[in-house]
Each structure stands twice: as structure tokens, then as C-alpha cells.
Amino acid sequence: MGKRVVELFDQSPKHRAAVLVRENRQGSFVAQQLEHLQRQYGIEIYDVQESDRQSHVPREILTLLHFLDLPHSPDYLKAALVVLVERQLIPTQDLNALATFPEQFLYPGPLDPHQTPAVIKAARYCRSLLRARLELPHYQLISFLALTLNYNQSELATADKLAERIAKQTLGNSSMNATLGALQEIVNSERFEPVETEDADSRYLRAGQLTIITMHKAKGLDWDYVFIPFLHEDTLPGNPWVPTAGQFLGDFTLAEVARAQIRASLHEQTIPLAPEAWEQAGQLKTAEEFRLLYVAMTRAKRLLWISAAEQGPFRWSTFSGKGDNLQQKKPCPVLPALRNHFPQANVN
């Protein structure tokens, strides 16, 4: 799949492509396997799940606040310099050399070695941050840091949201230690949702980008090229599975049986017994999964690439991504049907 992506973007760099997956874990695996495309070929890989889950704003703000709290720490100074380099605010240079002696770097004396222009610029940025720590009220530091890092509109809105949340969590104890503790908890939990000012559809449909997205989120969108891997029978439409602990009532799940019986009652139909209700639930799920696959397949405007490897993980939720725990897999029934209906097409 990666080779095909490179070929297509080499022919048409401004086209758009997407990998549609059934489960989030599949998307994470694809992103890991294709991350080299951005480094080697300049093809941007946009993992929707990962972008939705994480925001870099809390991490960067926490890094700079750690530096403001303990500017004499070599580790915190280096981490702050890394952020400034990543934001392209200071030139790339040997950060280890700068962070080895923080006092000498920040406030050089007349007997210290002469600093290069790049070092002078980095030191000036750091001193401006420390000056703000002394001059600004404590509750304005997050907003100031966001402006210093040249955040875009979405990132500034996220920083304001972060500052508001920190203020609520530290109400009655507005100290640097309390702020750092609350912010560290947010970064560790990775449960802070960024504010998006850019339309979500435009983020998913950028030219020259390979978007990795679930079939459900792809509804209403379209790309020039669509790749649908892992099209196995146990994934789509999926096989009914009853946990061993739930088999004391029979070979069915009580929740699905109850839904089928409630559905029949709402439509003023005869309420089915458990075995019949379980069968109806399976039929409804299969139909729903095939409708979802139809939606996914029709997202392609120029090329549709679908595949099912001979082997796959027993369960994606427990797959480590290292090729272990693989077993033989049957393809989704749609694949042989497509092969028979379109013998001239290249169906894998």
C-alpha cells in the first residue's frame, strides 16, 4: 500500500488520499507503518484519531513553565530550548552545550566565551520569558507563552481554554506549584481536547495528504484515492461472539436479544424468543456493516484499493503490532463477489 501511495502522489502531488479502517487500532497500526512516507517522500500522514486525542499545547506550555519555575535546571532549560527550536523561534544548534551551564548561557559575564548570534538570540528569548515571570500576574503566563510561541488561531484558543481550566482547578491555591501539578495531570492523562477553528472537513481533505480515518468518520467526505485494508470476514461484517462468562443463559448476548425484542415491541410485532431475537440481531448487524462498507467504498473518486491479507491478528484490540499472534483469515464476502462481478478489475 505504501508503494502505491508513493506512485500516486508522484504522478499527482495535489491529489488527496485516505486509508479507511474499521477500528481505531487498525488506524494506529497503519500510521506507524507509513510514517516513513513523510520523512522520505514528503507525503503528510494525518492520523485523525491521534490528532483528536492529543494536543501539543499543554505539553509545550508545561515545558516552558517548568523552565520559568527552575531556570537553573539544565534539563528544564534544554526542554524549553527544544520547544523554541521546534517552533522555529531560534536557530537549530547544539542545545546540550547551551544547557550545560544555564547561568553562563542566560547571563554571560565579561570573562565567559563569546556567544555566537544564534546563541545570543536563544538567550534573549529565554531572558524575555524569565522577565515575564517577574512582571506578569501569575494567571496571565499561559496566554503570554502562547503568544510568544506564535500560536495560530486554533492554538491560541486552545491555550485560553487551558488557562481557564487551570484557573478552575487551582481556585484558592493559585501558585506555580499548583499550576504545574494541574498541568502535569492534564498532559499525563492526554484528555484535553484542543479547540479547532479550522473546519474538520478541510483538515481531512488537504491536498497531498494521506488521511487515516475510520469508516464512520469518513461519511460525507471523498478523496481521489481510497485504501481499505484489513477487509476480513471477522472484522466486516464480523462474527457474533458471546463471552464465556455470558453463556450461562445460552449462546447469545442478553443485550442484543433485549434490543431485538424491544424493537419488535415498538413496531407492534410479535416479540421473538431469545434464539430468534439473537438471529435477527445478527442479520441487522450484518446489514449495517455492509452499508458502512458501501459508504467507505463510495468515498473514492478516482481509485479504490481494497485488500485482505491471508493472515491477521486474532483481535486488533490486543495486537502489539510486531507480527505476533497472527492467524489465517477469511476475506470479507464482498471481495470474492467483486472479483466475480468485475473480472477485469484488479481486486486483491
Side-chain angles (χ1 to χ4, degrees):
M1 182 169 64
K3 293 181 180 179
R4 190 70 173 121
V5 170
V6 172
E7 293 174 359
L8 292 170
F9 276 118
D10 186 53
Q11 297 170 5
S12 304
K14 296 300 182 181
H15 281 178
R16 302 168 301 175
V19 178
L20 273 53
V21 295
R22 183 63 184 85
E23 304 177 24
N24 284 325
R25 184 66 187 88
Q26 294 174 339
S28 299
F29 176 74
V30 171
Q32 293 171 4
Q33 298 300 310
L34 299 182
E35 62 180 357
H36 68 281
L37 297 184
Q38 186 163 356
R39 182 175 61 257
Q40 297 180 5
Y41 302 98
I43 300 173
E44 183 179 355
I45 306 297
Y46 186 79
D47 184 0
V48 172
Q49 178 215 359
E50 185 69 14
S51 300
D52 289 347
R53 186 176 66 90
Q54 293 183 343
S55 170
H56 60 275
V57 172
R59 176 184 59 81
E60 291 180 345
I61 296 296
L62 176 63
T63 299
L64 294 186
L65 285 179
H66 272 309
F67 165 66
L68 296 183
D69 186 45
L70 296 172
H72 57 275
S73 167
D75 292 335
Y76 288 154
L77 172 58
K78 181 182 177 181
L81 291 172
V82 169
V83 171
L84 296 177
V85 170
E86 290 176 348
R87 302 297 302 185
Q88 299 181 353
L89 297 174
I90 63 174
T92 302
Q93 51 197 301
D94 185 2
L95 302 183
N96 289 319
L98 303 185
T100 301
F101 302 104
E103 293 83 359
Q104 180 177 308
F105 163 67
L106 293 170
Y107 301 101
L111 300 180
D112 291 324
H114 177 71
Q115 293 183 336
T116 64
V119 174
I120 292 174
K121 184 175 183 179
R124 187 180 299 121
Y125 251 102
C126 292
R127 286 195 297 268
S128 68
L129 295 178
L130 293 174
R131 191 178 305 114
R133 172 74 174 91
L134 297 175
E135 297 177 357
L136 290 178
H138 177 73
Y139 56 85
Q140 291 184 357
L141 280 178
I142 293 180
S143 299
F144 169 79
L145 293 176
L147 292 171
T148 301
L149 294 175
N150 288 341
Y151 279 167
N152 59 32
Q153 185 179 1
S154 174
E155 292 168 325
L156 287 174
T158 300
D160 289 341
K161 176 183 175 182
L162 179 66
E164 182 179 355
R165 175 169 168 178
I166 294 296
K168 290 180 180 179
Q169 290 188 219
T170 59
L171 186 64
N173 183 24
S174 182
S175 64
M176 179 62 85
N177 286 337
T179 298
L180 290 173
L183 194 50
Q184 186 69 62
E185 181 181 350
I186 291 174
V187 172
N188 291 341
S189 65
E190 296 182 348
R191 293 179 180 176
F192 185 78
E193 292 293 333
V195 177
E196 296 291 353
T197 57
E198 183 183 5
D199 180 61
D201 290 358
S202 63
R203 288 187 288 121
Y204 303 159
L205 303 174
R206 291 172 181 155
Q209 173 178 283
L210 178 66
T211 302
I212 302 173
I213 188 171
T214 62
M215 295 179 182
H216 282 101
K217 277 201 169 186
K219 293 179 180 178
L221 307 174
D222 54 51
W223 293 266
D224 295 295
Y225 317 122
V226 169
F227 298 82
I228 306 179
F230 316 123
L231 210 53
H232 297 117
E233 184 181 35
D234 61 347
T235 300
L236 202 153
N239 299 322
W241 178 68
V242 183
T244 304
Q247 294 179 359
F248 63 95
L249 292 176
D251 193 17
F252 56 82
T253 59
L254 187 59
E256 292 296 335
V257 168
R259 290 192 189 97
Q261 292 176 336
I262 292 173
R263 190 181 300 110
S265 177
L266 291 175
H267 289 84
E268 298 182 352
Q269 300 172 352
T270 302
I271 298 178
L273 298 177
E276 183 182 356
W278 175 246
E279 183 179 355
Q280 291 178 6
Q283 293 172 352
L284 289 172
K285 181 183 183 302
T286 298
E288 181 181 348
E289 291 294 326
F290 281 139
R291 284 194 293 269
L292 179 62
L293 178 59
Y294 172 79
V295 170
M297 295 173 64
T298 54
R299 300 307 91 199
K301 296 192 294 184
R302 299 173 183 269
L303 171 72
L304 173 64
W305 188 96
I306 56 180
S307 69
E310 293 182 354
Q311 290 187 324
F314 175 67
R315 292 202 182 281
W316 277 99
S317 58
T318 59
F319 183 51
S320 65
K322 298 180 180 179
D324 54 350
N325 198 24
L326 298 180
Q327 62 179 21
Q328 291 296 122
K329 292 280 189 175
K330 292 182 179 180
C332 171
V334 168
L335 283 175
L338 288 174
R339 187 187 296 275
N340 293 333
H341 195 73
F342 301 101
Q344 74 281 6
N346 183 15
V347 181
N348 295 321

